[in-house]
Amino acid sequence: MAKQEQSHLGDGDNIAGNKTVYVNQTLPESKNLPSPTIPTYYVPSEIAQAKKYYIPTRWQKDPPSEEQELSDAFLHNNPDLLIPHLMDRVFTDKVERQSDYKFFLVLADSGMGKTTFMLHLFMEWQAKKRSKEMRLYHIAAPQTWEEIALIKRLGKAQETILLLDAFDEDRAAVEDYQGRLRDIVTQTQDFYKIIITSRTQFFPTKGDILAETNISVNRGFQKIRHFYVAPFDNKDIEKYLNKRFGGNLKFWSNTKKRQAKAIVDKVPHLMARPMLLAYINDLLEHQKSYNNSLEIYEAMVARWIKREADRVPEADRQGFSEHLYQFSIDLAGHLYQNPVEGQYLIHYKALEDFARKHQINLSRIEMQSRSLLNRNALGYCKFSHKSVLEFFLLKKYLSNIEFAKSFDFGKMNQTRKFYLECGQQIIAKTANQIGSTQVSEKMLQTLNQANEGAHMIGANLSDRDLTNIDLNGAVLIGARFEKANMTKALLNIADLKGALFLLTDLTEAELRGTDMRGCILVQANFRGANLGGASLRWNDLRATILEEAILKGTDLRQTLLTDLQYRYAEEQGAVLSPWEETVKTFAEVPLAYDQ
């Protein structure tokens, strides 16, 4: 009679908020067991990458995330090669060398190469004739548990090594990670050895990772051995680049090799994480060169978010990506303003309240496991590297004026570096709009005075309600104020060169002595605004509302104006180019919004 088995249903795509679903699988007694092979869950390109560019996985006893920086793991650990260790001490037929453990958890943070390790372990085992059979499964795939049940019924479990990948993607594990792990232990206890991978952050604390089963042995209960994947060191990075691009790093023989090395040199700390190192080729395909570290971080973060979004259903990906990015920005700001004993940490239990407060639609598991956060043994989460925190702090700084006013660059040197890199790009663009090298030099001098007042070059304040805001003396070169409400804003003697004021409401704003050269002011509303002594040179104001604005001493030379605007400005006492010159330019240049 056919035997009824319960098989967990899950494809690993959506790990948040779903009820556990089980289906009854009717397994025919006569069903043949297929030969061991890599499941179709793993796409050919992933398998090819594992074969071609694999750098041997190393393990250590303690989580690397307990260190201040990921790359510091080598200071207190001596990582050992994991596959040779398993071959020699776990899978060996020699009883005197064999480990007493049956169950093994391979734990690592996101992007540390857990799946690549499993693929390579399986392929290496299959390359030779062995006394035991090895089978690789994705833990959340329905056919996994159907096939495991069949192996048991055919009496082959004792001769089979199970590789179960991605425990953190199992829906039942999301609801009850300890209960699900105990259930897996019960279902697989007849097998010779069982290797399970999971993201370390999936478990709230180190103490929550199951270390003992309920299976009795002569010395108590069967234990679960934990292996923590070690980050890459400089030698690993060098090996990967040699494999990926060929040659010796000392002699870069072609352009792509030099470009890859340049990226590594600009962001060396990120490269301890294999996932990010593997993105180098993608970065080079997308953009052949990067001018600074900020551009690389931008590209890396975008690639990481896409990777995580690809794990959720297609209909949810855009929303997931936006919320994950905003979560990272808001969390960075929160950690900066609320340090825990001098460290930028948040306890995992506080993540859900944080998300609700900031209207972020992510589950705790998604925030803890899908983000670029590491979790320490006590359950506190932090960004995987301080430079990642500082990258998102820049994003917070450039999107929140109140945060920017209280931010101290002295505590965050990398954020300052990112800001200077961002500012230099915007200044170069603005100077090009204005057409003045001298102005560019002065703006660069201003850039280096960051932290003096509101200094937000390149800020994005579009669609914000900035009514009555005080930005007197602020440095906002190249900032974006598209569709912002800036009614009665105080912007006296502010530096707004090259800023975008598309459809911005500046009714009755105070802009005395403000530098607005080279701005985009299409359909900006200056009705009743005080622009006395301000400079609006090199602007196109033909689609700008200037009615009732105070223009005494306003510099409107080399500025495009309609006939009515010119006459009004002349009456107000503005500084103007001769009308003949304005008319000539007027005839040659189309309206800005028609371009």
Side-chain angles (χ1 to χ4, degrees):
M1 185 175 178
K3 189 175 180 180
Q4 297 290 318
E5 293 286 340
Q6 277 195 323
S7 174
H8 176 249
L9 180 64
D11 56 11
D13 282 338
N14 185 358
I15 65 167
N18 293 315
K19 293 291 183 183
T20 309
V21 180
Y22 291 91
V23 295
N24 288 325
Q25 299 283 354
T26 302
L27 304 175
E29 295 288 350
S30 60
K31 182 173 180 180
N32 293 322
L33 187 65
S35 299
T37 187
I38 296 174
T40 55
Y41 178 88
Y42 302 100
V43 296
S45 60
E46 188 174 18
I47 299 167
Q49 293 272 338
K51 285 182 179 179
K52 193 171 183 180
Y53 305 124
Y54 176 69
I55 301 301
T57 304
R58 292 183 293 166
W59 70 278
Q60 57 189 60
K61 293 180 180 179
D62 300 312
S65 57
E66 291 185 351
E67 302 294 339
Q68 189 68 22
E69 299 291 356
L70 195 62
S71 55
D72 291 344
F74 302 104
L75 299 177
H76 308 109
N77 292 276
N78 186 23
D80 193 12
L81 293 172
L82 183 51
I83 290 180
H85 178 84
L86 292 173
M87 296 289 192
D88 186 50
R89 299 302 304 275
V90 176
F91 304 148
T92 180
D93 291 326
K94 297 177 181 178
V95 178
E96 67 275 11
R97 296 185 60 80
Q98 204 175 97
S99 168
D100 290 337
Y101 292 89
K102 177 187 284 283
F103 297 93
F104 300 84
L105 266 176
V106 177
L107 299 155
D109 295 330
S110 58
M112 291 295 290
K114 298 178 294 296
T115 293
T116 300
F117 153 73
M118 291 287 254
L119 288 169
H120 210 273
L121 173 59
F122 178 79
M123 290 186 287
E124 191 167 324
W125 185 266
Q126 296 301 114
K128 293 183 180 180
K129 188 175 181 179
R130 313 278 185 176
S131 61
K132 299 286 190 295
E133 200 168 71
M134 179 179 283
R135 291 183 176 270
L136 169 65
Y137 298 105
H138 189 275
I139 209 164
Q143 62 270 27
T144 292
W145 299 100
E146 177 182 347
E147 204 163 296
I148 285 173
L150 181 57
I151 294 169
K152 289 162 62 178
R153 195 172 64 251
L154 294 175
K156 295 186 176 184
Q158 284 288 346
E159 301 302 315
T160 304
I161 299 166
L162 273 186
L163 306 184
L164 300 176
D165 189 28
F167 176 74
D168 53 285
E169 295 183 11
D170 184 270
R171 293 180 186 176
V174 170
E175 294 181 1
D176 179 6
Y177 56 90
Q178 288 191 338
R180 178 58 175 155
L181 192 51
R182 291 187 187 280
D183 176 54
I184 289 172
V185 165
T186 300
Q187 291 190 55
T188 61
Q189 62 181 307
D190 294 334
F191 286 80
Y192 178 62
K193 301 289 181 182
I194 302 93
I195 312 291
I196 303 170
T197 65
S198 178
R199 293 189 182 193
T200 314
Q201 316 102 299
F202 182 71
F203 300 93
T205 70
K206 184 179 179 181
D208 289 310
I209 304 174
L210 197 65
E212 184 176 275
T213 73
N214 56 4
I215 300 171
S216 296
V217 292
N218 64 339
R219 294 182 181 178
F221 293 92
Q222 181 70 255
K223 303 290 193 297
I224 300 177
R225 180 73 186 276
H226 299 165
F227 292 120
Y228 291 95
V229 175
F232 275 5
D233 62 11
N234 290 335
K235 290 182 180 179
D236 291 327
I237 294 170
E238 184 173 332
K239 287 176 185 175
Y240 176 81
L241 292 177
N242 282 336
K243 280 193 171 189
R244 190 68 182 81
F245 301 105
N248 190 307
L249 287 184
K250 294 180 181 178
F251 304 99
W252 292 89
S253 58
N254 61 50
T255 302
K256 203 163 190 180
K257 291 177 186 176
R258 290 194 298 272
Q259 290 170 340
K261 182 64 166 60
I263 289 175
V264 171
D265 289 344
K266 283 187 173 77
V267 290
H269 295 298
L270 286 185
M271 298 307 159
R273 193 177 290 258
M275 172 190 75
L276 298 179
L277 183 60
Y279 289 164
I280 285 183
N281 194 57
D282 290 344
L283 300 188
L284 293 178
E285 291 295 329
H286 177 70
Q287 184 173 324
K288 297 305 179 184
S289 63
Y290 293 83
N291 296 315
N292 52 52
S293 59
L294 177 61
E295 290 184 356
I296 296 171
Y297 273 76
E298 294 269 15
M300 287 281 194
V301 168
R303 188 68 183 81
W304 155 67
I305 287 180
K306 182 182 183 303
R307 175 184 186 263
E308 296 303 326
D310 285 345
R311 295 171 181 263
V312 303
E314 185 175 2
D316 300 332
R317 284 176 192 166
Q318 183 174 347
F320 176 86
S321 298
E322 292 171 357
H323 281 275
L324 186 56
Y325 189 71
Q326 193 59 48
F327 163 73
S328 301
I329 294 172
D330 289 340
L331 182 63
H334 174 82
L335 297 183
Y336 173 81
Q337 293 176 326
N338 301 277
V340 178
E341 297 182 359
Q343 297 188 63
Y344 302 107
L345 309 168
I346 184 172
H347 200 271
Y348 79 93
K349 290 182 178 179
L351 287 174
E352 288 178 308
D353 285 341
F354 174 84
R356 279 193 293 270
K357 181 180 177 181
H358 290 81
Q359 298 181 320
I360 293 168
N361 185 24
L362 295 174
S363 70
R364 179 186 64 78
I365 290 296
E366 287 172 325
M367 288 183 285
Q368 186 175 324
S369 185
R370 295 291 186 206
S371 64
L372 276 173
L373 297 179
N374 289 340
R375 189 239 344 115
N376 67 19
L378 298 176
Y380 283 93
C381 300
K382 65 177 181 180
F383 280 96
S384 57
H385 189 270
K386 191 184 176 189
S387 63
V388 177
L389 165 69
E390 294 190 73
F391 169 80
F392 286 115
L393 282 176
L394 175 71
K395 298 301 177 182
K396 185 72 173 179
Y397 180 91
L398 293 178
S399 61
N400 188 302
I401 289 175
E402 295 307 315
F403 180 83
K405 286 181 177 180
S406 64
F407 187 78
D408 182 3
F409 279 110
K411 295 180 180 179
M412 296 289 170
N413 291 332
Q414 185 64 44
T415 304
R416 179 181 174 83
K417 181 182 178 183
F418 286 147
Y419 179 68
L420 294 176
E421 291 173 346
C422 173
Q424 287 163 0
Q425 291 176 323
I426 291 169
I427 284 171
K429 180 180 177 182
T430 303
N432 185 57
Q433 289 175 216
I434 296 173
S436 171
T437 305
Q438 186 178 9
V439 170
S440 176
E441 291 173 356
K442 289 182 179 179
M443 285 191 287
L444 287 171
Q445 291 174 6
T446 303
L447 175 63
N448 289 316
Q449 297 168 359
N451 237 29
E452 297 180 12
H455 199 294
M456 298 175 68
I457 292 177
N460 186 356
L461 300 168
S462 298
D463 296 300
R464 305 293 176 86
D465 184 0
L466 303 175
T467 305
N468 294 314
I469 193 164
D470 185 352
L471 290 172
N472 285 328
V475 179
L476 290 155
I477 298 168
R480 300 178 64 89
F481 296 96
E482 184 176 356
K483 298 180 182 178
N485 181 4
M486 303 185 74
T487 302
K488 297 185 178 180
L490 301 178
L491 291 157
N492 297 307
I493 62 171
D495 190 343
L496 295 165
K497 287 189 287 291
L500 173 66
F501 289 94
L502 178 64
L503 295 166
T504 306
D505 188 356
L506 288 148
T507 302
E508 297 183 19
E510 289 289 329
L511 296 129
R512 287 169 293 165
T514 299
D515 191 342
M516 299 185 74
R517 288 177 286 176
C519 290
I520 295 175
L521 299 165
V522 177
Q523 296 186 43
N525 183 3
F526 287 96
R527 188 182 298 276
N530 188 345
L531 288 157
S535 177
L536 277 77
R537 295 181 73 177
W538 303 299
N539 284 316
D540 185 348
L541 301 181
R542 290 173 293 171
T544 303
I545 299 171
L546 292 175
E547 282 85 345
E548 301 177 25
I550 298 172
L551 300 175
K552 186 175 182 179
T554 305
D555 190 348
L556 295 175
R557 290 173 294 172
Q558 289 86 46
T559 298
L560 295 176
L561 299 162
T562 66
D563 182 20
L564 288 175
Q565 286 175 328
Y566 189 93
R567 291 180 184 180
Y568 177 74
E570 194 172 36
E571 291 172 2
Q572 286 281 313
V575 181
L576 296 157
S577 298
W579 174 243
E580 294 77 13
E581 183 180 322
T582 303
V583 170
K584 181 181 178 183
T585 309
F586 179 92
E588 294 173 350
V589 181
L591 283 168
Y593 54 79
D594 289 336
Q595 292 180 10

